[in-house]
Amino acid sequence: MKNTIKKNIRKVENRITQACQRVKRDPRDIQIILAVKTVKPEHILTAADLGYPMVGENRVQEARRKIKQLSDRADKLEWHYIGHIQSNKVNKVIRFASMVHSIDRMKIVRKMNHRLKKVGKTMDVLIQVNTSGEDSKYGIHPSDAINFVREATKFKRLNIKGLMTIGLFSDNWPKVREGFAQLRQLRDTISDQNIPDIQMQHLSMGMTNDFELAIEEGATMVRIGRAIFGERDTPDSYYWPGIDSAPYSSNHISE
Ligand SMILES: *Cc1c(COP(=O)(O)O)cnc(C)c1O
């Protein structure tokens, strides 16, 4: 498994480099967040040791279990929270996460701000936008995003660092790309408003099947699971209610 992970990471690095070349971007501007739902702790370590210490978790319990198992290597890893946040889990999320990608409602903003204040911390966050229009995806409606960001900046314990989206589950690649382009345009529009106290430097978008498109459209963080760790046994419907199974019939890169 160690060698497989290593080989997979090299492939992902090559795909990133090629995507960057197509749009004249610097591959060093792209951060890989390991999407590690269902991945065993030792495999997370293998990837971290190859230079990828940023780990994205979807579920609080799973994250806490792995953090405990990896406690002697804690300094090597940086935990990101990328899943849907239940408001009764906010407390726990702020204890381990260094960035939360999935802020998708005001209730969470208020609660997180309140808890952060209590413990004397701040948190880097991204606002999740539903660019695909699929009901099964969480996130703010694109037309509400600017107002949402404006409102969220009033909560000073949250450092808004950009936007996140989950691409359309489809092999209609032009449509998938449109969603990523929409997130970039939203980011630019928000930046142009010069709202105080925010830096919109990050676009967290792109997963195993679509990260090249996301990079071509400006992603700064790609969240990658299967391309590095292999297929998952647990269906994604466990993490995203409403989604049946592997949504893809093909990859947009012909191999
Ligand atoms: C699982 C997951 C990913 C990675 O998906 P892969 O297809 O395995 O690359 C990215 N983002 C989120 C929010 C996820 O839940």
Side-chain angles (χ1 to χ4, degrees), residues 55 57 63 66-67 70 77-81 96-99:
V55 178
E57 280 283 7
K66 288 180 204 165
I67 288 166
L70 291 168
L77 300 166
E78 184 184 311
W79 298 83
H80 290 228
Y81 193 75
F96 68 81
S98 63
M99 181 183 262

Side-chain angles (χ1 to χ4, degrees), residues 165-201:
T165 199
I166 296 175
L168 177 70
F169 281 171
S170 165
D171 52 13
N172 181 345
W173 303 115
K175 267 250 175 292
V176 176
R177 182 190 290 276
E178 240 170 64
F180 295 144
Q182 186 180 28
L183 198 73
R184 171 171 41 80
Q185 283 152 13
L186 259 180
R187 191 268 315 269
D188 293 345
T189 306
I190 294 169
S191 295
D192 287 346
Q193 314 239 328
N194 295 318
I195 302 169
D197 298 332
I198 60 168
Q199 305 143 312
M200 297 297 286
Q201 74 258 51

Side-chain angles (χ1 to χ4, degrees), residues 225-241:
R226 291 172 301 132
I228 293 173
F229 301 107
E231 294 299 322
R232 290 180 284 272
D233 294 332
T234 313
D236 282 353
S237 55
Y238 175 73
Y239 294 92
W240 292 317

Side-chain angles (χ1 to χ4, degrees), residues 35 37 58 82 164 166 207-208 223-226 232 240:
K37 51 181 179 263
N58 293 66
I82 63 176
M164 178 271 223
I166 296 175
M207 304 167 31
T208 288
R223 308 176 308 268
I224 301 182
R226 291 172 301 132
R232 290 180 284 272
W240 292 317

Side-chain angles (χ1 to χ4, degrees), residues 96-165:
F96 68 81
S98 63
M99 181 183 262
V100 176
H101 293 227
S102 42
I103 300 289
D104 65 356
R105 56 206 193 280
M106 229 40 210
K107 184 180 180 186
I108 299 298
V109 170
R110 280 193 293 270
K111 190 152 187 184
M112 192 173 283
N113 190 70
H114 179 73
R115 299 304 309 180
L116 286 164
K117 202 165 174 180
K118 279 213 158 145
V119 296
K121 291 209 294 190
T122 60
M123 177 69 68
D124 290 349
V125 300
L126 306 176
I127 308 301
Q128 181 171 355
V129 179
N130 183 351
T131 55
S132 71
E134 291 165 289
D135 290 342
S136 54
K137 305 274 171 67
Y138 296 105
I140 313 287
H141 191 276
S143 61
D144 298 332
I146 297 172
N147 282 338
F148 186 92
V149 169
R150 231 180 237 295
E151 181 67 20
T153 56
K154 296 179 186 155
F155 296 84
K156 300 298 179 196
R157 296 279 161 171
L158 274 59
N159 306 318
I160 300 176
K161 296 284 186 186
L163 304 176
M164 178 271 223
T165 199

